[in-house]
Amino acid sequence: TRAPLGTAPLARRAEMHSYSVRANNVLSFAVSVWMVLCAMATASDFFHKADPVVSVKLAKVERFLRVGRNDEAHLAFDIDADLTSVFSWNTKQLFVWLAAEYATPKHVESSVSVWDRIVESKEDAHLVLPFVRNKYKLVDNGAGLRGNVVNLTMGWQIMPRVGVLRKGNATFPAAFTLPEEYPEPPQPQQRRAGAYVHPR
């Protein structure tokens, strides 16, 4: 006997519809499981207890001068920072930075990043740098560095494999005081190709 007209196409469409529904259900279940695992990974980081031991000191003021209208300081630091406890199983890497903080009559609070580093593994997370030069010069937009007291803050941003970014820091108030006078004569600020270039 022959099937009624139109019965076979309807059956094929129903079968195709059944496959698509099953695939959608499997995909939805996989996404739900993935979201639950991500939430569990993020929650586990909040229970991770870190006990970093950080020491940052000024090793030397290598240069202190006035360039154009700005004060510049070239510094070296003594860093001993054990950040191994900050790493958890969910930590991908740390972004570590050092900031110099001070106040002037014009600005109540100024913070200048002078050094940074990316730490990619727990084995490299103990930074022992007895004499490391600033990666970025300490520059004040004006003459606000002479005789000024500077705080040092080491911060680290925790970049997880899954979850939200978290931060930590350690501040060392009154870490050092810059000289009252410039040890070397002022230098003009040179201009080249439309950009200011500080002489070395």
Side-chain angles (χ1 to χ4, degrees):
T1 60
R2 299 180 60 183
L5 186 63
T7 302
L10 289 176
R12 284 196 295 270
R13 285 199 295 269
E15 185 178 2
M16 292 176 62
H17 179 70
S18 177
Y19 288 151
S20 63
V21 169
R22 291 177 184 177
N24 184 66
N25 290 339
V26 171
L27 180 62
S28 299
F29 177 75
V31 171
S32 300
V33 171
W34 180 79
M35 292 179 64
V36 170
L37 291 176
C38 289
M40 292 175 63
T42 302
S44 69
D45 278 341
F46 288 102
F47 295 100
H48 176 74
K49 293 184 179 180
D51 187 24
V53 180
V54 179
S55 172
V56 181
K57 302 175 184 177
L58 177 72
K60 184 180 180 181
V61 179
E62 295 197 299
R63 294 186 71 187
F64 182 57
L65 67 159
R66 184 172 176 83
V67 180
R69 298 181 179 181
N70 301 328
D71 282 355
E72 283 190 10
H74 299 238
L75 310 170
F77 304 98
D78 179 2
I79 298 175
D80 187 349
D82 187 356
L83 303 176
T84 54
S85 64
V86 177
F87 271 81
S88 70
W89 69 272
N90 190 38
T91 303
K92 182 179 181 181
Q93 63 184 21
L94 302 179
F95 178 70
V96 185
W97 72 91
L98 183 63
E101 301 166 342
Y102 60 96
T104 66
K106 291 184 178 180
H107 302 94
V108 178
E109 183 178 354
S110 297
S111 180
V112 180
S113 178
V114 292
W115 178 87
D116 58 43
R117 173 173 291 189
I118 294 176
V119 180
E120 297 182 338
S121 67
K122 187 175 183 178
E123 291 73 23
D124 297 329
H126 190 179
L127 305 176
V128 181
L129 307 168
F131 192 89
V132 58
R133 290 185 170 91
N134 56 246
K135 193 173 179 180
Y136 316 103
K137 295 176 292 187
L138 174 57
V139 180
D140 178 68
N141 186 19
L145 291 182
R146 284 188 301 168
N148 210 335
V149 178
V150 181
N151 305 330
L152 289 175
T153 294
M154 173 167 280
W156 51 91
Q157 187 172 56
I158 306 169
M159 301 180 183
R161 301 182 188 279
V162 176
V164 298
L165 298 175
R166 293 179 295 122
K167 293 181 179 181
N169 65 75
T171 299
F172 304 90
F176 63 94
T177 302
L178 287 164
E180 293 283 351
E181 302 296 335
Y182 306 114
E184 53 187 282
Q187 299 185 18
Q189 196 170 42
Q190 298 177 352
R191 188 172 184 175
R192 184 177 63 191
Y196 286 105
V197 179
H198 299 301
R200 294 183 180 275

